[in-house]
């Protein structure tokens, strides 16, 4: 499964709860070159690696998909994904629209789910509420979100994250 959404929509939160209630469903943990935020843990939230190591892994073709998102690299390890599938797990990739395009272009069979916020105003409120970004970063994220929303038609399903438990239920169904 490929789950994409604009930054601040709550896609990771919803998917983290989903894998708790759906048997044999695993969440792929992305690699990133960005610094850990307060409250994050290496190997739990992301695999935090240096920019140099990320670039080496990308050159060596170790990523199923990867992208530069707001100046930091994010990618999905092909080996990690294959290992999960070999264990009999269904895998959820929480990736941006760039990464989803890369996965589709490889001919990998996926089911795409696009998560939307209830409105642009709610998305802005969520981004501001995180208190993790500067005003310039928030504006940039909102501009990118507007373009990303146009990609929803490339996905099989659309889920609105208006309330977390309801959104998890819609994803589960």
């Amino acid at each position: 499964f490929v789950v994409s959404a604009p930054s601040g929509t709550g896609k990771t939160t919803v998917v983290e709860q989903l894998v708790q209630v759906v048997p044999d469903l695993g969440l792929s943990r992305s690699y990133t070159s960005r610094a850990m935020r307060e409250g994050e843990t290496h190997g739990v939230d992301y695999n935090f690696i240096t920019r140099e190591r990320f670039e080496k892994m990308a050159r060596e073709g170790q990523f199923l998909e990867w992208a530069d998102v707001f100046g930091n690299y994010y990618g999905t390890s092909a080996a990690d994904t294959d290992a999960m599938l070999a264990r009999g797990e269904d895998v959820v990739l929480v990736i941006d629209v760039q990464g989803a395009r890369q996965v589709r272009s490889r001919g990998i069979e996926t089911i795409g789910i696009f998560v939307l916020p209830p409105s642009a105003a709610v998305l802005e409120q969520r981004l501001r509420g995180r208190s993790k970004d500067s005003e310039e970063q928030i504006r940039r994220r909102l501009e990118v979100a507007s373009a990303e929303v146009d990609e929803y038609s490339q996905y099989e399903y659309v889920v609105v994250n208006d309330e977390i438990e309801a959104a998890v239920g819609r994803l589960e169904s």
Side-chain angles (χ1 to χ4, degrees):
F1 298 91
V2 170
V3 176
S4 300
S7 177
T9 302
K11 64 187 173 290
T12 304
T13 301
V14 171
V15 171
E16 284 174 343
Q17 290 190 20
L18 178 70
V19 299
Q20 298 301 314
V21 298
V22 176
D24 300 318
L25 181 65
L27 173 59
S28 171
R29 184 176 309 105
S30 295
Y31 285 72
T32 184
S33 65
R34 79 162 169 76
M36 254 188 286
R37 294 177 181 148
E38 186 177 328
E40 289 181 326
T41 304
H42 174 74
V44 174
D45 299 290
Y46 288 94
N47 293 307
F48 294 95
I49 60 176
T50 65
R51 190 169 188 87
E52 293 76 22
R53 180 166 175 222
F54 193 104
E55 290 170 346
K56 181 177 188 289
M57 290 175 72
R59 279 192 309 274
E60 293 174 353
Q62 294 184 38
F63 291 114
L64 186 60
E65 61 77 33
W66 67 275
D68 182 332
V69 181
F70 302 112
N72 294 298
Y73 293 132
Y74 293 85
T76 303
S77 165
D80 292 355
T81 303
D82 288 345
M84 293 173 76
L85 292 169
R87 289 193 302 266
E89 291 180 67
D90 287 322
V91 180
V92 180
L93 307 178
V94 178
I95 56 180
D96 73 347
V97 297
Q98 295 176 69
R101 265 189 245 115
Q102 288 178 43
V103 170
R104 283 192 299 273
S105 74
R106 287 175 157 232
I108 298 169
E109 188 176 328
T110 63
I111 296 173
I113 305 161
F114 197 85
V115 180
L116 288 171
S119 69
V122 169
L123 179 61
E124 182 173 354
Q125 181 182 26
R126 288 177 183 174
L127 286 171
R128 291 185 185 287
R130 293 195 315 190
S131 300
K132 295 179 181 178
D133 297 317
S134 68
E135 183 62 30
E136 180 181 326
Q137 289 171 317
I138 290 170
R139 277 193 220 126
R140 185 160 178 240
R141 286 183 188 276
L142 289 169
E143 287 173 15
V144 170
S146 178
E148 287 179 336
V149 167
D150 290 341
E151 299 271 337
Y152 81 91
S153 65
Q154 301 301 310
Y155 294 75
E156 286 76 21
Y157 299 95
V158 175
V159 170
V160 175
N161 183 12
D162 50 355
E163 191 275 319
I164 291 178
E165 286 182 26
V168 170
R170 288 189 289 270
L171 273 174
E172 183 179 9
S173 70

